[in-house]
Amino acid sequence: MKTRILLPLATAMLAWATGACAASPAATAVATAAASADAAAGYPAKPIRLLVGYTAGGASDMVGRILAQELSDVNKQAVVVENRPGVGGMLAMNDVARAAPDGYTLGVAVSGTMVTGPHLQKTTPYNPLKDFAPVAMVAKAPMILLSAPGIETATVQQIVQQAKATPGSMMYATGAQAFDLAMRLFNAKAGVDIGAVNYPGGNQAAIDVMAGRVPLMVDTIGAQQANIRSGKLKAVAVLDSSRSTVFPDVPTVAESGVPGYEAVGWLGIVAPPGTPPAVVQKLNGQLRQILAKPAVAQKMSTLGFEPDADTPQAFAEEIRKQYTVWGEVARHAGLTPQ
């Protein structure tokens, strides 16, 4: 009798266990959402670290410090900027990717370390598409095509005409991989072959362009706006799809005769993968409110940046899109990862 009683009982217990397992994904999702909401409710309960992959005083660092101060004021908790320069900004990003996913380590991500640089490195210590939780794009860093003050080819059309008339004779100075890729894209879209002269950085490249030793270069507006305003460099065209608010009279490359051309740098905030979604959403909402402040927008503009915040999902999609685009540019140009 005991066997007859226990067998149905065992069967019932097995059926219950099977049903519980079948329902577990939904239960897990509910539990995860609840845990995420709980984490956000008390966040932040201690200081936050904001890692920057470049030295203090640079553009990324200055934007990071503006945002850190604003976030500190909003949350009544310190947001401490930590500069971790190295490997073209990738060292800091690697530290972010491997930090605890609790919202207390964030990183200032730039397009160079997320969508262009990885295609030019033999080994990148992280996967830009998988190893981060995008929080928000915070600013565009518009790039600009510049020429020496005395150069005769002062427009995009004139540059293209001369480059086609004398293939391989025209050169551009480049102090960063992102700027080199931007010109490789220009070559492909315009059907020209303008060669590269490599420099250790943008300042060294600008010196030779200002002296007329090399006719062209690409840099961010923020880095060269003082030289543009003083007349030491001539602004030819903005590389973004729309004109810059800093130099609204300078046309885009696309409207100057190279349709479909677009290259833009940007900065954003990312967190480690697995950071509670509610924490990411909370930070995103705060950053969007901060960037909507006229005083913050003015500070950004002074540095040559344009505030540009969106949702975490939109930021993630932009990273994926640009990663694909610049990968194709690098392959088309035959660039070998170093």
Side-chain angles (χ1 to χ4, degrees):
M1 293 295 294
K2 287 183 178 179
T3 301
R4 291 178 183 174
I5 294 171
L6 289 175
L7 280 176
L9 179 60
T11 302
M13 291 180 67
L14 179 61
W16 174 86
T18 304
C21 290
S24 63
T28 300
V30 172
T32 300
S36 176
D38 288 344
Y43 174 86
K46 61 181 182 180
I48 298 169
R49 298 187 307 151
L50 181 61
L51 305 190
V52 177
Y54 303 92
T55 56
S60 300
D61 173 74
M62 296 174 76
V63 171
R65 291 181 188 278
I66 291 171
L67 298 177
Q69 183 59 58
E70 293 289 335
L71 285 171
S72 297
D73 294 343
V74 169
N75 291 298
K76 309 305 179 186
Q77 283 285 354
V79 179
V80 182
V81 174
E82 294 185 11
N83 297 93
R84 302 270 184 92
V87 198
M90 292 184 179
L91 179 62
M93 298 307 299
N94 187 50
D95 289 345
V96 174
R98 283 154 179 70
D102 54 11
Y104 291 98
T105 300
L106 305 174
V108 175
V110 302
S111 50
T113 58
M114 297 292 284
V115 299
T116 55
H119 296 296
L120 304 174
Q121 301 285 338
K122 283 186 177 179
T123 57
T124 301
Y126 51 82
N127 184 325
L129 305 182
K130 297 180 179 179
D131 290 344
F132 301 96
V135 176
M137 183 182 288
V138 296
K140 285 185 177 181
M143 292 185 281
I144 191 167
L145 178 62
L146 302 163
S147 71
I151 189 173
E152 295 180 0
T153 50
T155 69
V156 169
Q157 288 186 340
Q158 290 173 331
I159 290 169
V160 171
Q161 288 170 0
Q162 181 176 331
K164 287 183 176 180
T166 55
S169 64
M170 185 173 283
M171 307 297 288
Y172 65 88
T174 176
Q177 293 173 332
F179 306 146
D180 186 29
L181 278 180
M183 281 303 297
R184 302 275 183 166
L185 179 60
F186 181 90
N187 281 347
K189 291 285 188 181
V192 296
D193 181 20
I194 303 176
V197 180
N198 294 304
Y199 290 81
N203 289 337
Q204 294 91 329
I207 289 172
D208 272 8
V209 174
M210 287 187 286
R213 288 186 281 270
V214 184
L216 303 170
M217 71 176 290
V218 167
D219 206 336
T220 62
I221 287 177
Q224 299 299 338
Q225 66 172 311
N227 286 328
I228 296 170
R229 294 190 188 282
S230 67
K232 294 179 180 178
L233 289 171
K234 183 185 298 181
V236 177
V238 173
L239 276 55
D240 198 354
S241 58
S242 57
R243 295 192 180 198
S244 167
T245 57
V246 179
F247 293 110
D249 294 333
V250 179
T252 67
V253 170
E255 70 179 286
S256 299
V258 186
Y261 183 92
E262 178 185 12
V264 61
W266 48 260
L267 289 86
I269 300 297
V270 297
T275 300
V279 170
V280 171
Q281 289 290 352
K282 185 172 186 176
L283 284 167
N284 177 270
Q286 291 177 346
L287 286 166
R288 294 173 77 173
Q289 290 178 354
I290 288 167
L291 293 167
K293 293 182 177 181
V296 172
Q298 179 59 43
K299 290 178 182 178
M300 293 280 200
S301 179
T302 300
L303 297 172
F305 292 94
E306 299 175 2
D308 185 27
D310 210 331
T311 65
Q313 294 77 15
F315 185 27
E317 180 57 32
E318 187 67 18
I319 292 172
R320 284 191 291 270
K321 183 182 77 173
Q322 291 197 23
Y323 184 85
T324 300
V325 167
W326 291 114
E328 292 174 354
V329 171
R331 285 189 292 273
H332 182 271
L335 298 177
T336 303
Q338 301 296 318

